Amino acid sequence: MTRTLRAGIIGTGFMGAVHAHAVRANGGIVSEISGRTPESAADAAIRLHALEAAPSPEALIDSDQVDVVHICTPNATHAALAKRAIAAGKHVVCEKPLATTLEDAQKLRDLADGAGTVAAVPFVYRFYPAVREARARIARGEAGNLWLLHGSYLQDWLASSDATNWRVDPAAGGTSRAFGDIGVHWCDLMEFATGHRISRLVARTSRAFAQRASKGVMRDVGTEDGAALLFETDRGATGSLVVSQVTPGRKNRLWFSFDGTEESFSFNQEQPDTLWVGGSRGSIRVPSGPDTLSYPESQRYARLPAGHPHGYQDSFNAFIADVYAAARGESIDGLPTFRDGLRAAQITQAVLDSTATNAWVDVPDIDAGLPLSARTPDQPALERQS
Ligand code: SOE
């Protein structure tokens, strides 16, 4: 399929704008946009250069002017919209979390598996060249035995009791907020880059503020501001993760260190253009550029020479490029799909269960029973690491 793909974007906020820019950066058309009201849709159609405002999300999904449905709405609306889009035969890009319950995530993954269309979730941090470089080096065994996987994801946009957002409300955002919103990014990135799978974890969620202001009234908060985890992986590694949306001064600081017996690899999303490679006899900072990265899997995402920073929107553009290539029938390695959205829901549920029971909780192997060869492209790293 070579014709221009037409996007329908449901949601007119920050992520709707990011999706719209990425669609156009890849030669797509934003044919329709819908929002909470016809007025917000009309405003967004002008602001985001859509051909027209749809009267409702459902009308947008059913429109014959839309090939790819982008769902950028509050979490609790994702499942019904994604289900309708799949049933309408559309390709779907659904913002994470895929759903607010494990059951809905499972149903959506199963629906997507049988649909023959693309169903993707923007685990966008996979699309930094530096992350692909770490994955390529780890897959070739350059780390040695990966035994310690650790990091954090810290933000401060909720670092005040006056700050609130639909994510704080479990009815709109789901029962897990900080972990379900950003902890899942870190876990997806760790499993994607290393090929390891979290097999069990122990976690504690917590709140910085017991109450937050909502429409001028202080109300009890039902979701967590942060979480701390210890985990083990299916290949014998140990890990830790700290997640917070109340860490003053940290804006969007996703950071990891994946430590092997030969080399360790560290990445900081707030300075995303370099990969730190640690060695006992010296360490280097690898800049992102087709001429400075080592392998084709990472070079393909470094569009500009080293020194021309690749930012968040660039990564989102690269994600949409791969989604639209897959929609045209290309086989794409590393595309985050509804399967990965289900995986995130499994880990989130384990975090909630462990917090509630104060105990270690097993995390199911999403491909349990499948031979390695039947696993997704992410899995070959497991074979190479043995
Ligand atoms: C808010 O925490 C947020 O926009 C997340 O929802 C995104 O997934 C993350 O990439 C940036 O922060």
Side-chain angles (χ1 to χ4, degrees):
M1 178 202 301
T2 54
R3 71 174 166 73
T4 300
L5 287 171
R6 300 161 300 174
I9 295 179
I10 305 173
T12 59
F14 158 53
M15 287 316 296
V18 169
H19 282 244
H21 287 301
V23 167
R24 278 199 300 280
N26 286 289
I29 294 172
V30 180
S31 55
E32 300 195 19
I33 193 162
S34 72
R36 288 179 193 277
T37 64
E39 294 73 21
S40 66
D43 166 67
I46 295 166
R47 178 164 48 88
L48 300 179
H49 313 294
L51 299 185
E52 62 183 71
S56 69
E58 293 72 19
L60 179 148
I61 290 170
D62 298 345
S63 166
D64 58 10
Q65 298 303 311
V66 170
D67 305 309
V68 187
V69 176
H70 293 248
I71 300 170
C72 307
T73 52
N75 302 343
T77 66
H78 290 179
L81 293 171
K83 183 179 176 187
R84 185 179 183 120
I86 292 171
K90 305 297 172 85
H91 303 292
V92 188
V93 181
C94 182
E95 270 297 330
K96 30 55 65 187
L98 177 59
T100 52
T101 69
L102 185 51
E103 293 70 25
D104 279 347
Q106 181 72 59
K107 287 175 190 164
L108 287 169
R109 196 286 296 265
D110 296 346
L111 273 176
D113 274 3
T117 44
V118 176
V121 176
F123 285 117
V124 65
Y125 298 111
R126 298 185 178 196
F127 291 84
Y128 279 112
V131 170
R132 296 286 172 138
E133 180 76 1
R135 183 176 187 248
R137 292 180 181 223
I138 288 169
R140 287 166 174 78
E142 294 181 17
N145 173 35
L146 268 185
W147 70 283
L148 187 62
L149 310 168
H150 55 109
S152 58
Y153 193 162
L154 308 175
Q155 299 178 327
D156 69 3
W157 65 285
L158 285 170
S160 161
S161 61
D162 293 334
T164 194
N165 174 274
W166 57 262
R167 295 181 188 283
V168 176
D169 174 6
T175 46
S176 170
R177 184 219 326 148
F179 186 83
D181 183 17
I182 61 173
V184 294
H185 271 305
W186 193 93
C187 293
D188 172 78
L189 202 58
M190 183 279 286
E191 295 195 335
F192 173 70
T194 67
H196 286 233
R197 291 287 178 270
I198 295 173
S199 54
R200 71 183 197 131
L201 61 83
V202 63
R204 170 59 46 84
T205 61
S206 56
R207 279 191 279 275
F209 301 107
Q211 292 194 322
R212 288 182 178 274
S214 176
K215 299 185 177 72
V217 176
M218 294 306 282
R219 299 182 193 283
D220 289 347
V221 175
T223 54
E224 81 277 9
D225 289 321
L229 282 71
L230 286 178
F231 61 84
E232 294 174 354
T233 76
D234 60 344
R235 306 185 67 74
T238 301
S240 69
L241 170 62
V242 171
V243 174
S244 165
Q245 294 182 316
V246 184
T247 298
R250 299 299 189 185
K251 296 306 176 185
N252 197 35
R253 190 188 182 269
L254 183 162
W255 179 88
F256 68 66
S257 182
F258 300 152
D259 305 352
T261 48
E262 297 298 323
E263 289 183 336
S264 56
F265 298 101
S266 187
F267 171 78
N268 174 359
Q269 199 282 145
E270 289 186 344
Q271 296 160 352
D273 235 36
T274 56
L275 175 68
W276 184 85
V277 180
S280 305
R281 300 171 61 83
S283 304
I284 56 171
R285 288 183 178 281
V286 181
S288 292
D291 49 333
T292 53
L293 298 174
S294 303
Y295 299 111
E297 306 98 291
S298 47
Q299 291 161 353
R300 75 182 287 262
Y301 291 99
R303 289 180 49 250
L304 301 174
H308 297 76
H310 173 115
Y312 175 85
Q313 184 71 54
D314 298 299
S315 288
F316 216 99
N317 296 352
F319 162 65
I320 294 296
D322 278 2
V323 169
Y324 280 42
R328 290 194 181 91
E330 288 182 42
S331 174
I332 300 290
D333 174 36
L335 189 71
T337 66
F338 277 23
R339 176 192 168 282
D340 304 292
L342 170 59
R343 178 66 184 158
Q346 288 178 327
I347 298 171
T348 301
Q349 189 58 55
V351 166
L352 292 172
D353 291 348
S354 179
T355 297
T357 60
N358 228 3
W360 281 86
V361 171
D362 290 339
V363 183
D365 175 350
I366 196 165
D367 294 314
L370 290 181
L372 269 184
S373 57
R375 295 187 170 201
T376 64
D378 297 353
Q379 294 298 326
L382 283 172
E383 291 161 329
R384 274 197 286 274
Q385 273 189 350
S386 57

